[in-house]
Structure formats: structure tokens, C-alpha cells
């Protein structure tokens, strides 16, 4: 079931940023537009069997398809292990939205507002009804801090460099994360996302030998920070309590 859900999230991640319906038409090759047969849509297995190429036109099929499917399985298993059953639907929705943003941001450096700002009210309602371990007020505050903190960083970055370092989608993504995880979750997400993004950027420059500035999508790193906050926030709080 998790693999099937991952396959669906692939469809959502691709079609939303291309302004296409997520339910129609059936899956088709991006290159030749041929409708894909059912036996070529089996998650991961079909991609391996086809050696990552379309059966009809032999054009490459993005690695993102098996990657997102495998990632969905991993996140789903972590959710089943770490998240209490009462909170699982709300966190499951957030995790799905984060996976969709990873898919679209890696491929196009775009994040659909439908899966970020569109779900912020859902996070607030879940907080109010007790489907999240935060209150309604914490959800509102988290969304405001999440969006506002990245907005300030983006303004400061532009003031010093005259370049845009963050996109509008990144700000909206943090509003989503804040609405589900609250202010402390925002702090963990930005901290982890910033450090992992910086580390990845440095490694990329060293391995590629490029001396020019590298433009990388920040959404996947924020999503990774969000996953860390979802699964290990309580452990981080306990660790900080013991240290301080």
C-alpha cells in the first residue's frame, strides 16, 4: 500500500506544478505521450524492469519515480513506528505533502501552493480538534513564525548579495510545517534544513570542481528537517532538557 501511495504522490508532485489534473488522463510517457500499460506502472519493479526507459520511445524515465516510491515506504514505516495512532492521519497528510514538495522541487524548483498554503488551515483545525500534539494557537503561531522567519532571511540575503536565495515556495512550505508542528518544530526544521543544505552544497562544489555559485532547491532540505521534527522532536526536547 505504501508503494502505491508513493506512486500516487509522484503523480501529484509532477502534475500540480504542470497545471494538470491528478486524476485524468491515465499515466503516460512524458516524452512520447503514449499511455503506460498497467504492468509498466508497478512501483519500483517496472522502472527496474524497463531499465529506466520508456517501453515505446526508449527515452529515460526520471529516477525520481522509484526514489519517491522508496522514500514513501521509508517515511511510512517511520510514521507507523514513531507516531501514536491518534496523530497518524494528520502527520500522514503532512508527510505526504512534504514528499510531494520534494518531488516537484527537485525536478522543477517549484512548489505548489496547493500542498503548502492550501493545507495550513487543515493543520490549524487538527490542532484545535486534538489531532496534533499542539494547540490551535501554537499552530497559528507556528505558521506565522515559519513563514516570517524565512521571509526575514530572504530579505537579508537579498540586501547583502542582491540575489534571491529563497523562493516563495520555500516560505509557504515553512508555513505548512509550522501549522502542523508549532514554533519548536519550525526551529528544528530550519536548523536541520539549513545545516544539511549547506553541507550538501559544499560537498557538491568539492566533488564537481565548480567554483561558481550553485543553485540548489531548498525545499527537500526543509522537508528533511520537517521529518526530523516529526519523528524525533520529543527526543530533541528531552536531550536539550538534560543538557540545559
Amino acid at each position: 500500500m505504501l508503494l502505491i501511495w508513493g506512486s500516487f504522490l509522484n503523480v501529484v508532485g509532477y502534475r500540480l506544478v504542470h497545471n494538470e489534473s491528478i486524476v485524468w488522463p491515465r499515466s503516460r510517457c512524458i516524452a512520447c505521450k503514449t499511455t503506460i500499460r498497467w504492468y509498466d506502472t508497478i512501483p519500483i519493479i517496472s522502472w527496474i524492469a524497463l531499465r529506466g526507459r520508456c517501453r515505446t520511445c526508449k527515452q529515460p524515465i526520471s529516477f525520481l519515480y522509484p526514489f519517491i516510491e522508496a522514500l514513501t515506504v521509508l517515511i511510512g514505516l517511520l510514521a507507523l513506528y514513531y507516531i501514536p495512532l491518534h496523530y497518524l492521519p494528520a502527520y500522514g497528510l503532512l508527510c505526504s505533502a512534504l514528499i510531494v514538495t520534494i518531488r516537484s522541487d527537485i525536478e522543477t524548483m517549484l512548489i505548489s501552493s496547493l500542498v503548502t498554503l492550501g493545507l495550513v488551515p487543515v493543520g490549524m483545525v487538527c490542532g484545535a480538534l486534538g489531532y496534533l500534539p499542539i494547540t490551535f494557537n501554537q499552530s497559528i503561531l507556528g505558521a506565522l513564525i515559519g513563514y516570517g522567519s524565512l521571509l526575514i532571511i530572504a530579505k537579508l540575503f537579498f540586501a547583502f548579495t542582491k540575489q534571491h536565495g529563497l523562493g516563495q515556495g520555500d516560505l509557504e512550505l515553512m508555513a505548512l510545517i509550522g501549522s502542523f508542528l508549532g514554533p519548536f518544530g519550525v526551529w528544528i526544521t530550519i536548523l536541520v534544513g539549513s545545516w544539511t543544505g549547506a553541507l550538501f552544497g559544499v560537498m557538491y562544489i568539492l566533488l564537481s570542481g565548480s567554483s561558481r555559485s550553485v543553485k540548489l532547491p531548498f525545499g527537500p532540505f526543509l522537508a528533511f528537517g520537517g521529518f526530523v521534527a516529526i519523528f524525533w522532536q520529543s527526543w530533541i526536547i528531552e536531550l536539550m532538557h538534560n543538557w540545559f
Side-chain angles (χ1 to χ4, degrees), residues 16-166:
L16 283 183
V17 295
H18 289 86
N19 296 318
E20 297 180 11
S21 169
I22 64 173
V23 295
W24 186 264
R26 288 174 51 193
S27 296
R28 63 194 187 279
C29 174
I30 297 172
C32 67
K33 309 303 180 183
T34 301
T35 299
I36 300 174
R37 299 182 179 98
W38 68 267
Y39 48 79
D40 286 337
T41 61
I42 301 173
I44 298 179
I45 296 176
S46 291
W47 190 87
I48 295 174
L50 292 170
R51 298 182 179 180
R53 293 186 177 274
C54 172
R55 184 183 294 275
T56 303
C57 67
K58 308 304 179 183
Q59 289 298 308
I61 301 172
S62 174
F63 77 96
L64 287 172
Y65 288 96
F67 170 71
I68 290 298
E69 289 159 0
L71 178 63
T72 302
V73 172
L74 174 62
I75 297 301
L77 293 176
L78 288 172
L80 291 172
Y81 182 80
Y82 283 104
I83 297 176
L85 186 61
H86 184 61
Y87 300 137
L88 197 56
Y91 278 132
L93 180 61
L94 174 60
C95 288
S96 296
L98 294 180
I99 292 172
V100 168
T101 62
I102 291 173
R103 174 64 165 82
S104 64
D105 206 18
I106 290 178
E107 183 177 40
T108 64
M109 296 194 76
L110 295 173
I111 298 175
S112 173
S113 295
L114 292 175
V115 292
T116 53
L117 290 183
L119 294 179
V120 168
V122 178
M124 294 177 181
V125 171
C126 288
L129 297 179
Y131 294 118
L132 287 170
I134 59 172
T135 65
F136 176 70
N137 290 338
Q138 287 173 325
S139 178
I140 295 177
L141 188 60
L144 292 175
I145 292 176
Y147 187 96
S149 57
L150 277 201
L151 179 62
I152 293 172
I153 294 173
K155 294 293 185 182
L156 290 174
F157 184 86
F158 183 80
F160 283 102
T161 66
K162 302 305 177 184
Q163 296 180 353
H164 295 285
L166 295 171

Side-chain angles (χ1 to χ4, degrees), residues 75 78 83 91 94-99 101-102 173-174 176-178 180-182 184-194 196 218-234 236:
I75 297 301
L78 288 172
I83 297 176
Y91 278 132
L94 174 60
C95 288
S96 296
L98 294 180
I99 292 172
T101 62
I102 291 173
L173 176 58
M174 280 309 306
L176 167 69
I177 292 173
F180 278 80
L181 301 182
F184 191 72
V186 166
W187 177 77
I188 295 174
T189 299
I190 293 178
L191 181 65
V192 174
S194 298
T196 54
F218 192 37
F221 301 106
L222 291 176
F224 175 71
F227 289 135
V228 171
I230 291 170
F231 300 131
W232 296 291
Q233 183 172 163
S234 58
I236 294 173

